[in-house]
């Protein structure tokens, strides 16, 4: 069997959707926060599996989200066993630039996920939890604004490889069991085939179904890491480190943190060795 290859794609909450990034803590641990569901969805009785559309209030998060966001449905994609109430490892994507990269993966290859995260203290309360403004002395309207600058001012120890404020970080991986992709003649994967392969994937709740690619992962080895693997340099989140510039297909120029990255077999071997050190 050939050595595995890998593709990394950007997912999760950001400053556009829902308006804040998930936290990365001083020791490199983190919280995975999905984006809101931006598309129209089917009625629940037309979902492939009888389950509710999850909301921010349903997520198992270590901080509070604003009250007006708690009822907002989330796009729970990727999904991992045991994370936010999910049971399978799946990922779907409607965008050709990412779908094309993922479609080239074979069983045994890796689909990796990265997110932009903001450095926060371990007890970060969240982007709005309704607590009194004077709870920490550094709050404004219920928002806990403590970040990397707050940590530095107080001499809190932060792992050396973390960016000083926000950065891009690998946080989860999926060892591919199967990939369904369009044959170039349609805008989406065959829905019936996707239902059989990944019945709980978030794209199957959309109306219409729109995924150009659906990946199914081995649930035994797919999921979040215990600690992030930085893609940003330790002195600036917008500066790519050598994982991006030396190992991936990306140049590390411009807004590299929004683009998919491919890793050949040799680069994947080196990257997986780094990931193995932070996996649970």
């Amino acid at each position: 069997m050939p050595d595995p290859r890998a593709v990394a794609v950007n997912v999760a909450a950001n400053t556009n959707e829902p308006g804040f990034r998930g936290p990365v803590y001083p020791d490199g641990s983190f919280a995975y926060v999905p984006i809101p569901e931006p598309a129209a969805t089917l009625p629940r009785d037309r979902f492939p599996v009888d389950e509710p559309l999850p909301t921010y209030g349903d997520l198992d998060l270590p901080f509070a989200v604003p009250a007006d966001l708690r009822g907002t449905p989330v796009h729970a994609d990727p999904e991992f066993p045991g994370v936010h109430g999910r049971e399978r490892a799946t990922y779907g994507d409607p965008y050709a630039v990412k779908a094309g990269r993922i479609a080239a993966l074979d069983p045994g290859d890796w689909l990796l996920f990265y997110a932009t995260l903001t450095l926060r203290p371990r007890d970060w309360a969240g982007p709005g939890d309704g607590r009194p403004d004077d709870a920490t002395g550094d709050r404004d309207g219920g928002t806990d604004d403590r970040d990397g600058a707050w940590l530095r001012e107080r001499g809190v120890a932060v792992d050396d490889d973390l960016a000083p404020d926000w950065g891009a970080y690998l946080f989860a991986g999926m060892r591919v069991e199967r990939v369904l992709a369009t044959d170039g003649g349609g805008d989406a994967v065959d829905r019936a085939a996707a239902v059989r392969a990944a019945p709980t994937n978030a794209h199957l709740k959309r109306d219409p179904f729109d995924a150009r690619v659906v990946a199914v992962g081995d649930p035994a080895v797919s999921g979040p890491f215990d600690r992030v693997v930085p893609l940003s340099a330790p002195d600036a989140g917008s500066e790519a480190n050598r994982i991006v510039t030396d190992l991936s297909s990306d140049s590390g120029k411009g807004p590299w943190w929004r683009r998919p990255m491919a890793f050949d077999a040799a680069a994947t071997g080196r990257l997986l060795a780094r990931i193995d050190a932070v996996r649970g």
Side-chain angles (χ1 to χ4, degrees):
M1 184 175 180
D3 291 336
R5 297 165 298 130
V7 167
V9 296
N10 178 280
V11 297
N14 56 63
T15 53
N16 292 321
E17 298 179 296
F20 65 92
R21 301 183 185 96
V24 60
Y25 302 115
D27 63 354
S29 58
F30 61 95
Y32 163 42
V33 186
I35 62 169
E37 176 54 79
T41 56
L42 296 164
R44 177 173 173 172
D45 62 3
R46 293 178 59 194
F47 291 176
V49 174
D50 184 18
E51 62 180 9
L53 190 67
T55 68
Y56 280 103
D58 297 324
L59 302 183
D60 182 19
L61 295 172
F63 59 86
V65 297
D68 60 359
L69 194 62
R70 291 172 195 160
T72 300
V74 298
H75 185 67
D77 196 26
E79 60 174 350
F80 303 109
V83 179
H84 299 320
R86 312 310 296 164
E87 297 179 355
R88 293 176 172 85
T90 77
Y91 179 70
D93 205 291
Y95 299 109
V97 65
K98 289 192 284 185
R101 294 280 195 185
I102 297 169
L105 295 175
D106 294 319
D109 288 339
W110 283 87
L111 178 54
L112 303 173
F113 301 97
Y114 72 92
T116 53
L117 305 172
T118 296
L119 185 60
R120 300 291 189 183
R122 188 49 144 161
D123 63 344
W124 186 59
D129 69 345
R131 293 200 306 177
D133 293 349
D134 60 359
T136 67
D138 291 271
R139 304 280 297 284
D140 179 17
T143 298
D144 188 343
D145 291 324
R146 295 177 297 163
D147 56 11
W150 186 93
L151 293 168
R152 289 190 295 276
E153 288 171 1
R154 287 154 181 81
V156 177
V158 176
D159 283 2
D160 292 341
D161 60 352
L162 301 180
D165 181 19
W166 70 271
Y169 300 94
L170 291 168
F171 72 91
M174 180 185 297
R175 189 167 71 187
V176 173
E177 285 190 337
R178 185 180 181 189
V179 174
L180 304 177
T182 60
D183 59 8
D187 292 333
V189 173
D190 178 74
R191 190 176 190 279
V195 167
R196 291 191 295 270
T200 57
N201 184 263
H203 288 268
L204 286 164
K205 298 178 174 69
R206 286 185 171 181
D207 186 16
F209 173 61
D210 62 352
R212 290 175 180 263
V213 66
V214 175
V216 180
D218 178 350
V221 294
S222 301
F225 312 144
D226 282 352
R227 185 195 187 278
V228 297
V229 174
L231 298 176
S232 291
D235 53 351
S238 60
E239 182 179 342
N241 69 19
R242 295 182 66 180
I243 289 177
V244 178
T245 59
D246 292 0
L247 298 185
S248 88
S249 60
D250 199 272
S251 66
K253 298 178 181 178
W256 57 269
W257 58 89
R258 300 174 186 168
R259 299 191 291 253
M261 304 174 194
F263 299 83
D264 64 21
T268 298
R270 293 172 61 185
L271 182 56
L272 291 179
R274 177 75 182 274
I275 289 171
D276 282 345
V278 298
R279 289 185 64 106

